[in-house]
Amino acid sequence: MSEDKIIRMANQIAAFFAVQPGDRVTPIAAHISENWSAPMRAALLSHVAAQTPGLDPLVIDAAPKIRPVSA
């Protein structure tokens, strides 16, 4: 999956939860952890680690809570 698509999908999830009351970071991480495949999560976490431009700040905040990918 392309870098742009991973970032766009993560940002869409963040946009949905951004307008919800209360904690927004935990539901973002939970949604990605439960619905994204391991390769998708690995790609997203790589983008976060590399500080790829364009990631929503809520996605960056949620990254530590996203289920890690086993080696």
Side-chain angles (χ1 to χ4, degrees), residues 11 14 25 28 54-63:
N11 287 346
V25 170
I28 292 168
L55 282 168
D56 188 291
L58 285 173
V59 174
I60 296 166
D61 291 345

Side-chain angles (χ1 to χ4, degrees), residues 5 9 12 17 24 31-32 37 41 45 49 54-57:
K5 189 166 185 177
M9 289 172 58
Q12 287 173 334
F17 286 106
R24 299 170 309 224
H31 180 86
I32 292 170
S37 67
R41 291 193 321 273
L45 294 174
L55 282 168
D56 188 291

Side-chain angles (χ1 to χ4, degrees), residues 1-12 36:
M1 187 171 292
S2 74
E3 174 181 309
D4 289 340
K5 189 166 185 177
I6 291 284
I7 292 170
R8 184 174 64 248
M9 289 172 58
N11 287 346
Q12 287 173 334
W36 285 30

